[in-house]
Amino acid sequence: MNNEQITLVVGEQELRFMPTLQAYNSYINEMMPNDKVAPGINYLRRIVNKADMPALNELLKRPIAMKLVAKVNEFYEGDVAIEVKNS
């Protein structure tokens, strides 16, 4: 898990995010089978640098919330090797 700031460049706009385990877990726990976008938007708003909130809100007028969530989480989760070992 990466605890550093994650900066995404969307078009010409830079957005800085600082995910935490608490915010990540809340996002996962809030997702329901018929509601994934609203928890994703809430997650982004919880972890965005407050100075970048107006730019994020403007970008969220387009259907890209889940792409942003995926990209942030890709870097936050980091690379972990997981394998199944049969007994």
Side-chain angles (χ1 to χ4, degrees), residues 68-87:
L68 296 174
V69 168
K71 191 54 79 172
V72 167
N73 285 343
E74 176 185 333
F75 285 94
Y76 179 62
E77 293 166 355
D79 290 330
V80 176
I82 300 175
E83 65 180 71
V84 176
K85 183 174 182 180
N86 294 332
S87 301

Side-chain angles (χ1 to χ4, degrees), residues 1 6 14 20 28-29 32 41 43 50 62-63 66-68 74 80 82-83 86:
M1 204 166 15
I6 298 167
E14 281 192 9
T20 64
I28 299 299
N29 289 335
M32 302 296 284
I41 290 171
Y43 173 61
K50 297 308 174 205
R62 299 175 56 203
M66 299 315 292
K67 288 183 179 185
L68 296 174
E74 176 185 333
V80 176
I82 300 175
E83 65 180 71
N86 294 332

